Amino acid sequence: MNIVVCMKQVPDTTAEKRLLGDGTLDRASVPAVVNPWDEYAIETALRIREAQGGELTLLCMGPENAPETIRRGLAMGADKGVLVTDPALHGSDMWATGYVLAQALKKLPFDLVLFGSQSTDAGGGLVYGIVAELLDLPQISWVNQIEVGGGKVRGQRLSDAGFDVVEAALPAVVSITQTPYEPRYPTLPNIMKAKKKELLTWSLADVGADAGKVGLAAAHTAVGGTEKPSSERTVAVYVAEDPETTAKYIADFLAARKLI
Amino acid sequence: MPTSKDIFVMAEIDSQGKPKRLSLELAGKAAELAAQTGGRAVGVVCGPATAAQTLGEYGLSHVFYCPDPRCAEELIGPPAAVLASLIAAHNPWLVLLPGSPLGKDWAGRIVGKLGLGVEAGVTDLTVVDGKAQVTIPAFSGALRVSSTFTTDGAAPGLVIVLPGSFDLKRSGGTATVEEVALPAGTPTQVRVVERKAQEGGVPNLAEAQVIVAGGRGLANTDNFALIRQTADLLGGAVGATRAAVDSGWIPYAYQIGQTGKAVKPKLYLAVGISGEIQHKVGMQTSGTIIAINNNKEAPIMQFADLAVVGDLFKIMPALNAELARRKQV
Ligand SMILES: Cc1cc2nc3c(=O)[nH]c(=O)nc-3n(C[C@H](O)[C@H](O)[C@H](O)COP(=O)(O)OP(=O)(O)OC[C@H]3O[C@@H](n4cnc5c(N)ncnc54)[C@H](O)[C@@H]3O)c2cc1C
Ligand SMILES: Nc1ncnc2c1ncn2[C@@H]1O[C@H](COP(=O)(O)O)[C@@H](O)[C@H]1O
């Protein structure tokens, strides 16, 4: 079973964010991490590989400094990494991201491609659908448990009532949500081992992608302006008195705002 | 070829075949924009004719519906194929989609199929100089970005909208409804082989107007009954932090935050929740936030409208009693 996990480098949620003059994020100014959703995809892939063998490749489209982040996934246990990076990619939109990943996937042998269900910075939840469409593959998304075998993949997708068990033939695209198991933490020996693992760097030309279709100039959308949302809330602090008085206070507060 | 001025809405239905609240919010917004630009507000729904009629009551003048059962059985491919063929045939200016898992799934396939521009995670949509301008909270809400389509008016633009961004407006109109068939040759790629119900149900957090959420402060599963009662009294849903989910007190479907659901109720009551950033990003845009926490230094006490410092085990039973009493009078 050969698995590719598409992983994105994202700015750490807990860090301060700054923008460049062209309105894109100054990614150099914030520590980068593996998109937390993708860690669940990596963990899921590791478990399948441990049970069934095969090779696990991480695929990332990102800036030149992304290898450090990819190494974290290698330290979790992935076998090799591929970074698609190119100056022309700066400012690429959703379609272009899907296009470049699809082109790269054409060069990698796989039975299964796993994604996170969304990224914490763009939060689109779109890229895997674009990739699946471009490669004409079935797509199972928003699943927190998968089984592979007999040329098929089955996943448990959250539904309005509980779960839908969805099934598709391999090769397939699957997006993972938070799983019942935690992504493993890289151990020191594995961090050392990861330094020696293969990490390829591919350009747009290497994946046969048309540079005219990607980057800021080809983007279908353009950021006009950005602002820091003002934190308009004024906090009313109320130190609880006896329970009944406190309950009345809260109920009055709700009533004053017409919430009851 | 320039686009028409039409605004399309791709609606999502519930298990009873009724349009979901977010889809109705989109219908109202589409009607408002259409009135401004002189285009039509058009719906697309993979479901029964009654769903199409309901969309008309919320402002759409024309609704295409596809009742083919494959839409429900295969979730993504068939509805995306229906919408793609209607987009190709009518060349609308904008297509609004719900920012739900299914809405995103459909949008991804459409963007891949037709190579269109897409704005995701949108919380506002206005027309500026005849062009669509959207607002998107970015980077965990640290920034608010305004964005436009470089292809505005030249190719349809997809707009994926978060719940609670637009008011629900029932105009009471009637739409012309028109049945459409699933495009010939749509392949079967995925099948739902089983539907499992979650014991105790799944909260509709994305669309809830009131959420009472519990965290590690609740200390065990049984104590969730305390906030379940509050939620019932307020007509709301129960939510939870990851700490509560990881402790096995409540299923993942209840989790709010970075790796759970993003919510925007009118009232968010946080009980025994610290308000760490990964939780905050999922609920910070809620209308009124009330926190009940015995530690006045907890982060949530910095971004709540009302920060009640006290023991939840004393306060919640009294609050439930008080709410029940006020309901009776
Ligand atoms: C990658 C990643 C993703 C994450 N995603 C999410 C996510 O989606 N959602 C999420 O919620 N978290 C998420 N987290 C976890 C997050 O960082 C916090 O650990 C979590 O939100 C804490 O949950 P809590 O507030 O219930 O627990 P705690 O932080 O332990 O807070 C419990 C609070 O209860 C109060 N309390 C205790 N007893 C009482 C009492 N008797 N009366 C009143 N108050 C009391 C305490 O003062 C405390 O403030 C994520 C973390 C990571 C690293
Ligand atoms: N630049 C990228 N490189 C590799 N994978 C990506 C990239 N962008 C998005 N993805 C994958 O697509 C998923 C959904 O991302 P998004 O559509 O941005 O929410 C992520 O969780 C990743 O698995």
Side-chain angles (χ1 to χ4, degrees):
Chain A
M1 179 74 40
N2 290 317
I3 307 176
V4 177
V5 177
C6 289
M7 55 153 277
K8 185 179 186 185
Q9 164 168 305
V10 296
D12 188 348
T13 312
T14 52
E16 179 82 9
K17 317 289 185 309
R18 269 211 329 252
L19 297 181
L20 297 172
D22 62 4
T24 59
L25 184 79
D26 180 5
R27 286 174 189 265
S29 74
V30 259
V33 296
V34 179
N35 175 31
W37 296 76
D38 301 350
E39 289 196 3
Y40 293 106
I42 296 171
E43 178 60 38
T44 301
L46 287 168
R47 285 170 183 240
I48 298 170
R49 190 200 58 190
E50 280 158 8
Q52 311 194 1
E55 197 178 45
L56 168 53
T57 305
L58 302 177
L59 172 61
C60 174
M61 172 184 129
E64 275 171 10
N65 69 352
E68 235 181 284
T69 309
I70 299 173
R71 292 261 180 230
R72 172 152 178 117
L74 295 175
M76 284 175 73
D79 299 299
K80 73 177 208 203
V82 175
L83 169 65
V84 184
T85 189
D86 201 298
L89 283 170
H90 177 73
S92 289
D93 66 5
M94 292 280 184
W95 181 86
T97 304
Y99 165 65
V100 170
L101 291 175
Q103 287 298 115
L105 282 166
K106 286 182 187 167
K107 298 190 52 179
L108 294 166
F110 64 83
D111 304 292
L112 191 61
V113 196
L114 297 190
F115 290 77
S117 286
Q118 59 190 27
S119 54
T120 52
D121 57 349
L126 289 170
V127 167
Y128 41 89
I130 300 172
V131 169
E133 186 67 35
L134 291 173
L135 297 178
D136 197 19
L137 292 176
Q139 164 191 355
I140 291 181
S141 30
W142 306 91
V143 298
N144 72 348
Q145 224 153 294
I146 66 171
E147 279 167 50
V148 281
K152 285 184 180 160
V153 54
R154 255 184 195 212
Q156 207 174 243
R157 176 186 170 110
L158 289 172
S159 75
D160 294 339
F163 296 100
D164 286 344
V165 180
V166 281
E167 187 183 270
L170 296 174
V173 162
V174 177
S175 90
I176 306 287
T177 63
Q178 186 176 304
T179 52
Y181 41 81
E182 278 297 297
R184 68 197 63 185
Y185 211 75
T187 58
L188 197 58
N190 284 343
I191 292 172
M192 299 314 287
K193 261 193 237 162
K195 292 191 174 151
K196 295 195 202 79
K197 287 184 178 169
E198 187 179 14
L199 207 170
L200 304 169
T201 301
W202 290 349
S203 67
L204 280 179
D206 289 334
V207 300
D210 180 349
K213 291 184 174 173
V214 304
L216 203 55
H220 296 80
T221 53
V223 170
T226 50
E227 54 175 12
K228 259 194 163 7
S230 55
S231 41
E232 299 122 0
R233 281 178 220 277
T234 41
V235 186
V237 179
Y238 175 80
V239 179
E241 300 169 53
D242 65 278
E244 286 67 36
T245 312
T246 305
K248 281 203 179 69
Y249 184 88
I250 298 170
D252 286 345
F253 187 91
L254 291 171
R257 294 197 173 208
K258 299 199 164 47
L259 291 164
I260 50 172
Chain B
M1 193 185 45
T3 66
S4 73
K5 288 180 178 168
D6 295 349
I7 297 132
F8 273 45
V9 171
M10 180 68 175
E12 185 179 345
I13 54 171
D14 63 19
S15 54
Q16 268 86 55
K18 297 198 180 101
K20 291 193 176 182
R21 180 186 169 102
L22 172 53
S23 297
L24 300 176
E25 291 171 4
L26 299 186
K29 186 66 187 183
E32 178 196 316
L33 291 178
Q36 253 176 291
T37 62
R40 293 181 307 164
V42 179
V44 180
V45 64
C46 289
T50 48
Q53 281 144 7
T54 304
L55 289 162
E57 292 164 21
Y58 286 81
L60 302 180
S61 63
H62 198 111
V63 183
F64 297 100
Y65 70 98
C66 176
D68 196 310
R70 283 184 56 196
C71 291
E73 286 156 14
E74 299 171 32
L75 299 173
I76 304 172
V82 168
L83 180 57
S85 81
L86 287 167
I87 292 174
H90 297 271
N91 205 21
W93 172 44
L94 296 174
V95 183
L96 314 188
L97 293 117
S100 60
L102 262 186
K104 294 172 187 180
D105 285 337
W106 295 331
R109 301 299 298 214
I110 304 280
V111 172
K113 223 183 270 277
L114 304 177
L116 300 175
V118 56
E119 302 278 19
V122 167
T123 56
D124 199 11
L125 167 60
T126 51
V127 185
V128 178
D129 301 330
K131 290 195 190 314
Q133 182 173 310
V134 301
T135 305
I136 302 170
F139 305 107
S140 318
L143 293 169
R144 207 154 41 202
V145 171
S146 73
S147 182
T148 52
F149 289 103
T150 55
T151 51
D152 199 299
L158 269 51
V159 182
I160 304 177
V161 182
L162 296 183
S165 300
F166 308 128
D167 293 334
L168 199 59
K169 273 175 276 181
R170 192 174 181 284
S171 58
T174 15
T176 310
V177 304
E178 185 179 333
E179 185 173 337
V180 291
L182 189 60
T186 303
T188 291
Q189 291 185 312
V190 172
R191 256 174 359 104
V192 176
V193 292
E194 192 187 343
R195 295 195 193 268
K196 294 193 207 169
Q198 169 94 53
E199 210 185 312
V202 172
N204 185 358
L205 289 172
E207 300 185 343
Q209 300 302 294
V210 172
I211 292 175
V212 186
R216 209 194 312 264
L218 280 173
N220 61 43
T221 302
D222 294 342
N223 289 334
F224 266 85
L226 273 179
I227 65 165
R228 224 174 263 287
Q229 200 186 340
T230 320
D232 287 345
L233 286 161
L234 293 170
V238 169
T241 64
R242 175 157 157 189
V245 172
D246 283 350
S247 304
W249 301 342
I250 196 154
Y252 171 59
Y254 289 77
Q255 184 177 314
I256 293 164
Q258 181 172 271
T259 46
K261 289 179 180 140
V263 301
K264 194 185 176 186
K266 292 203 164 64
L267 170 64
Y268 193 90
L269 184 54
V271 183
I273 291 178
S274 63
E276 290 296 330
I277 180 80
Q278 292 93 349
H279 185 74
K280 184 183 179 189
V281 297
M283 47 66 75
Q284 63 192 345
T285 57
S286 300
T288 294
I289 299 173
I290 300 181
I292 298 175
N293 197 306
N294 59 10
N295 174 10
K296 69 175 191 316
E297 307 297 334
I300 198 153
M301 306 305 253
Q302 281 17 269
F303 62 88
D305 297 281
L306 176 62
V308 180
V309 187
D311 182 359
L312 74 90
F313 294 108
K314 296 206 174 97
I315 297 168
M316 295 313 288
L319 180 61
N320 289 339
E322 179 66 17
L323 292 174
R325 192 184 63 76
R326 293 199 189 196
K327 264 196 134 161
Q328 271 161 17
V329 293

